[in-house]
Amino acid sequence: MNTKMYVGNLSFNSTEQDLRDLFGSHGEVTEVFIPTDRESGRPRGFAFVTMDSTDSMNDAISALNGNEFQGRPLVVNEAKPQANTGGGGGGGYRGNGGSGRRDNNGYGRNRR
């Protein structure tokens, strides 16, 4: 039973307590997570709020999605589980750079 919501378009000044107060009127808030930028430490403008029940979550989504909070219209919807993509990627090193033959000065026969 998923009770986690994505809350987007947040003011960068929004705090965990602000979100607990806002969502608390729709049920018990069990967790608030506000991601921050690695370099600056500043909030990234969205959060995840977890409620105690599916009914509380649905009530909060219906009541708050599109409503203005701290001067910005909120985007509130059920959080989707993050897809496991298997991690990073990037190209590999092919040893010879992937270009043509490297044997015998580029020729298929011995030159004397």
Side-chain angles (χ1 to χ4, degrees), residues 104-112:
N104 297 325
N105 296 323
Y107 293 91
R109 58 193 162 109
N110 288 336
R111 294 184 61 121
R112 294 184 191 196

Short mmCIF file of all heavy atoms in Angstrom, two decimals, residues 104-112:
data_model
loop_
_atom_site.label_atom_id
_atom_site.label_comp_id
_atom_site.label_asym_id
_atom_site.label_seq_id
_atom_site.Cartn_x
_atom_site.Cartn_y
_atom_site.Cartn_z
N ASN A 104 50.68 -4.23 -39.65
CA ASN A 104 51.54 -4.04 -40.84
C ASN A 104 51.33 -2.67 -41.49
O ASN A 104 51.11 -2.58 -42.69
CB ASN A 104 51.29 -5.16 -41.84
CG ASN A 104 51.67 -6.50 -41.28
OD1 ASN A 104 52.62 -6.61 -40.52
ND2 ASN A 104 50.90 -7.52 -41.62
N ASN A 105 51.33 -1.66 -40.68
CA ASN A 105 51.20 -0.31 -41.20
C ASN A 105 49.90 -0.11 -41.99
O ASN A 105 49.87 0.64 -42.97
CB ASN A 105 52.39 0.09 -42.06
CG ASN A 105 53.66 0.14 -41.23
OD1 ASN A 105 53.63 0.53 -40.07
ND2 ASN A 105 54.76 -0.28 -41.82
N GLY A 106 48.89 -0.82 -41.63
CA GLY A 106 47.60 -0.62 -42.28
C GLY A 106 47.41 -1.46 -43.53
O GLY A 106 46.42 -1.32 -44.22
N TYR A 107 48.37 -2.32 -43.87
CA TYR A 107 48.25 -3.12 -45.07
C TYR A 107 48.05 -4.59 -44.67
O TYR A 107 48.54 -5.04 -43.65
CB TYR A 107 49.49 -3.01 -45.95
CG TYR A 107 49.63 -1.63 -46.52
CD1 TYR A 107 50.37 -0.67 -45.86
CD2 TYR A 107 49.00 -1.30 -47.72
CE1 TYR A 107 50.50 0.60 -46.37
CE2 TYR A 107 49.13 -0.04 -48.24
CZ TYR A 107 49.88 0.92 -47.56
OH TYR A 107 49.99 2.16 -48.08
N GLY A 108 47.37 -5.33 -45.49
CA GLY A 108 47.09 -6.72 -45.20
C GLY A 108 48.21 -7.65 -45.56
O GLY A 108 48.13 -8.83 -45.30
N ARG A 109 49.25 -7.17 -46.17
CA ARG A 109 50.37 -8.02 -46.52
C ARG A 109 51.67 -7.37 -46.07
O ARG A 109 51.72 -6.18 -45.79
CB ARG A 109 50.42 -8.28 -48.03
CG ARG A 109 50.54 -7.01 -48.80
CD ARG A 109 50.27 -7.25 -50.28
NE ARG A 109 49.96 -5.95 -50.85
CZ ARG A 109 50.76 -5.30 -51.65
NH1 ARG A 109 51.90 -5.84 -52.02
NH2 ARG A 109 50.45 -4.12 -52.09
N ASN A 110 52.69 -8.13 -45.99
CA ASN A 110 53.98 -7.58 -45.58
C ASN A 110 54.58 -6.77 -46.71
O ASN A 110 54.60 -7.18 -47.85
CB ASN A 110 54.95 -8.71 -45.22
CG ASN A 110 54.57 -9.37 -43.92
OD1 ASN A 110 53.92 -8.75 -43.09
ND2 ASN A 110 54.96 -10.62 -43.75
N ARG A 111 55.07 -5.63 -46.38
CA ARG A 111 55.75 -4.79 -47.37
C ARG A 111 57.22 -4.79 -47.05
O ARG A 111 57.61 -4.56 -45.92
CB ARG A 111 55.18 -3.39 -47.33
CG ARG A 111 53.74 -3.40 -47.78
CD ARG A 111 53.22 -2.00 -47.84
NE ARG A 111 53.98 -1.20 -48.78
CZ ARG A 111 53.46 -0.59 -49.84
NH1 ARG A 111 52.18 -0.67 -50.04
NH2 ARG A 111 54.18 0.12 -50.63
N ARG A 112 58.03 -5.01 -48.03
CA ARG A 112 59.47 -5.05 -47.78
C ARG A 112 60.19 -3.99 -48.48
O ARG A 112 60.01 -3.45 -49.43
CB ARG A 112 60.01 -6.40 -48.19
CG ARG A 112 59.43 -7.44 -47.30
CD ARG A 112 60.03 -8.75 -47.62
NE ARG A 112 59.22 -9.73 -46.92
CZ ARG A 112 59.59 -10.94 -46.70
NH1 ARG A 112 60.72 -11.36 -47.15
NH2 ARG A 112 58.86 -11.74 -46.05
#
